[in-house]
Amino acid sequence: GGGYAAMAEGEGLLSVDYEVSGRVQGVFFRKYTQGEAKRLGLVGWVQNTSHGTVQGQIQGPTARVRELQEWLRKTGSPQSRISRAEFSNEKKIVALEHKDFQILK
């Protein structure tokens, strides 16, 4: 590949689903995730699941999505304890499918 492919890769839009396990409910995890996503200019959603994890979807520029993935893997909210962050259904998209980043009940 040449330099152009690498540039296009960095500028493209990515969509990825995530699920974070550990002590992630009742510790403002969703609120912090929303704040971080908005800071990075990403769209998508986040919600608690019935089995104690937090899940959602992130969409935006590839490099920014990677930053939030790293944040979900290592940082989270101040009181959270992340044991695992799993990502799935990663795909390139041509347009964002969400207007903003929402916390779903």
Side-chain angles (χ1 to χ4, degrees):
Y4 176 77
M7 197 159 66
E9 169 69 29
E11 291 306 303
L13 295 174
L14 201 65
S15 174
V16 66
D17 297 346
Y18 62 89
E19 183 167 10
V20 185
S21 311
R23 188 155 76 99
V24 293
Q25 290 193 8
V27 291
F28 301 104
F29 198 91
R30 292 172 302 169
K31 186 176 187 290
Y32 275 86
T33 301
Q34 181 188 46
E36 190 67 12
K38 289 191 167 190
R39 188 181 71 77
L40 290 167
L42 299 172
V43 301
W45 52 273
V46 59
Q47 71 178 15
N48 285 341
T49 69
S50 57
H51 50 277
T53 64
V54 167
Q55 69 176 16
Q57 186 176 68
I58 320 163
Q59 294 186 348
T62 301
R64 298 297 176 104
V65 169
R66 294 279 179 253
E67 279 189 63
L68 191 60
Q69 284 180 289
E70 192 70 3
W71 184 90
L72 287 165
R73 204 180 270 126
K74 299 211 168 91
T75 310
S77 66
Q79 274 104 38
S80 66
R81 295 285 175 274
I82 299 164
S83 59
R84 192 172 63 187
E86 294 181 271
F87 301 99
S88 57
N89 300 325
E90 186 173 299
K91 58 183 191 283
K92 289 186 172 132
I93 53 174
V94 289
L96 299 174
E97 295 158 4
H98 309 283
K99 286 190 186 66
D100 50 20
F101 197 94
Q102 295 182 304
I103 295 175
L104 302 183
K105 294 289 182 276

